[in-house]
Amino acid sequence: MSQITVVGGKPLKGRVDLKGAKNLVTKAMVAALLGESTSVLKDVPRISDVDVVQRLLQLHGVQIDFAEDGTMSLDPSGVKSARMVDIDAHAGSSRIPILFCGPLLHQLGEAFIPGLGGCDIGGRPLDFHFDVLRSFGAVIEKLPNGTRLSAPNGMHGAKISLPYPSVGATEQVLLTAVRAEGKTELSGAAIEPEIMDLIAILQKMGAIISVDADRVIRIEGVSRMVGYQHRALFDRNEAASWAAAALATNGDIFVGGARQPEMTTFLNVFRKVGGAFQIEDDGIRFWHPGGTLNSVVIETDVHPGFMTDWQQPLVVALTQAQGMSIIHETVYENRFGFTDALNQMGAQIQLYRECLGGTSCRFGQRNYFHSAVISGPTKLKGADIRVPDLRGGFSHMVAALAAEGVSNVTNVQLISRGYENFLQKLTDLGAEFTYTE
Ligand code: EPU
């Protein structure tokens, strides 16, 4: 198990450059399955979620070339069924395989999906995905080691309403509806920027998709699609992570490739907390301007709300803010597990089952510790901690870098699921650490 020994207390200063968003790139790679010709995706990061999807696509006969500069070409002309045992080897490694269903059903008439992985931040059920696929005509058979799908009568457009604007389920609809026969109307859709970028890709491939007001997306199925050429949307989650790291460590970080429009909600909160930022043409500079940080009340939400993936690194900065901050997590029921380690380091974070912060959410009456109260400022001290999940792990690293003294952080390889060249970036920012594989 990999371990980092961090000497904390030094401000992170310098520049990091972003590539494409993890939560877009992996889906764009799956979309390439729908075309008849080669797709070219630019700014693909070297992260383990990309590796898993690459290997699964290759097992299905897609020829992939991944150049040093992050340009990936995907040729689906030889697409074929993969052996169940080979697919199964990837069980538990990612959540993206569930999105292979629609494209494989269109291309091959069948699909086998391994057991899914991803961060342990709640139950993460797949009911919306399977309901969506059934609406299009898929027949789903659960096996001990995965799920087999077929479409004996073809795939047909459908009228679908999601009970919650799920990102993954919206992508499932898009990737299936574009080649289903007839029209699909999706209400209750997620409209995250990564979804809009996926829609742009699908349109380049020949799809007909319109996004109406009030979370309604309409798709007219087409019988053939071609490859696309696309530069992936930047990773706004990574941008927010480094911004929070700058604030928590009293630092100053220029995040190359970050853009304002997709981050306005984050930037408002960053400013209210007391962080400074400057928008440039090629990125955003984030820094701690000195003085006291302010406590805030935040509710995580679907876009255009404050993203759930932004809260964990920001919590570390909030341990340094004056007063009581409240975070009400309304997207995942169990996303505060990472706060145990922060408390061990000296933070004062208390979790509550109640919906604190103003509105009630679907987790309110269900016994989940989904609200956090952070009292500050508190001094953080180095500790021995274990990375629990991707974003929680990043926040542990930020806490270790901000803390006085030495921290030993284990299970660090998990962070490479979503952050390219993480250790190199830390070095570039002047962090003091040693790494053992
Ligand atoms: N949900 C269901 N049933 C379903 C699907 C979702 O109840 O069939 C629930 C989930 O349990 C959750 C809520 O709906 O409570 C939202 O889940 P969503 O489907 O939107 O999440 P996702 O597609 O699994 C993606 C990102 C997450 C990000 C969320 C929210 C990817 C690979 N993952 O997950 O990113 O937090 O959207 O924006 O795109 C991360 O990057 O660390 C990460 C976890």
Side-chain angles (χ1 to χ4, degrees), residues 22-23 27 124-128 166-168 309 331-332 391:
K22 163 176 93 70
N23 293 347
K27 289 85 183 259
R124 306 195 81 177
L126 293 169
D127 49 339
F128 304 167
S166 150
V167 169
D309 304 288
V331 179
Y332 290 110
R391 309 289 170 199

Side-chain angles (χ1 to χ4, degrees), residues 22-24 26-27 49 94-96 98-99 118-119 121-131 163-171 190 192 194 235-237 301-303 307-309 312 329-333 335 362-363 389-392 417-419:
K22 163 176 93 70
N23 293 347
L24 173 269
T26 43
K27 289 85 183 259
D49 264 18
S94 163
R95 297 190 66 73
I96 311 300
I98 191 69
L99 295 176
C119 292
I121 50 181
R124 306 195 81 177
L126 293 169
D127 49 339
F128 304 167
H129 290 260
F130 291 133
D131 288 349
Y164 182 81
S166 150
V167 169
T170 300
E171 292 160 345
E192 269 60 9
E194 292 78 14
D235 198 315
R236 65 201 174 108
N237 289 341
D301 206 349
V302 294
H303 188 76
M307 279 199 83
T308 166
D309 304 288
Q312 302 83 350
E329 170 60 59
T330 76
V331 179
Y332 290 110
E333 67 274 29
R335 219 172 183 187
R362 62 212 161 103
F363 306 136
D389 63 71
L390 177 61
R391 309 289 170 199
R417 269 197 48 222
Y419 296 87

Side-chain angles (χ1 to χ4, degrees), residues 2-195:
S2 56
Q3 173 175 320
I4 294 187
T5 302
V6 182
V7 182
K10 282 183 70 180
L12 293 182
K13 288 189 175 173
R15 174 180 178 128
V16 292
D17 284 291
L18 303 175
K19 286 246 188 68
K22 163 176 93 70
N23 293 347
L24 173 269
V25 163
T26 43
K27 289 85 183 259
M29 290 169 69
V30 178
L33 272 174
L34 290 161
E36 287 174 5
S37 47
T38 299
S39 290
V40 177
L41 184 60
K42 292 186 183 150
D43 275 354
V44 179
R46 289 188 186 271
I47 53 175
S48 45
D49 264 18
V50 165
D51 284 349
V52 173
V53 178
Q54 175 172 347
R55 275 185 262 127
L56 277 173
L57 286 169
Q58 284 166 330
L59 284 177
H60 286 93
V62 179
Q63 295 283 340
I64 297 185
D65 180 62
F66 192 5
E68 242 349 274
D69 67 352
T71 301
M72 181 179 273
S73 69
L74 306 103
D75 173 4
S77 54
V79 68
K80 59 175 185 358
S81 293
R83 293 190 323 152
M84 237 194 249
V85 41
D86 294 334
I87 300 176
D88 197 34
H90 296 284
S93 46
S94 163
R95 297 190 66 73
I96 311 300
I98 191 69
L99 295 176
F100 277 61
C101 295
L104 287 181
L105 284 169
H106 286 306
Q107 294 289 40
L108 303 168
E110 60 171 11
F112 173 74
I113 308 299
L116 300 185
C119 292
D120 184 11
I121 50 181
R124 306 195 81 177
L126 293 169
D127 49 339
F128 304 167
H129 290 260
F130 291 133
D131 288 349
V132 159
L133 288 159
R134 282 193 196 97
S135 321
F136 285 106
V139 174
I140 298 170
E141 190 189 348
K142 300 256 171 71
L143 304 177
N145 56 348
T147 306
R148 190 176 13 223
L149 297 97
S150 57
N153 301 313
M155 303 282 275
H156 302 276
K159 199 169 155 76
I160 298 168
S161 175
L162 291 179
Y164 182 81
S166 150
V167 169
T170 300
E171 292 160 345
Q172 187 73 266
V173 171
L174 289 169
L175 290 166
T176 308
V178 284
R179 285 209 21 214
E181 199 198 321
K183 295 185 180 180
T184 294
E185 180 190 288
L186 171 65
S187 48
I191 49 165
E192 269 60 9
E194 292 78 14
I195 289 178

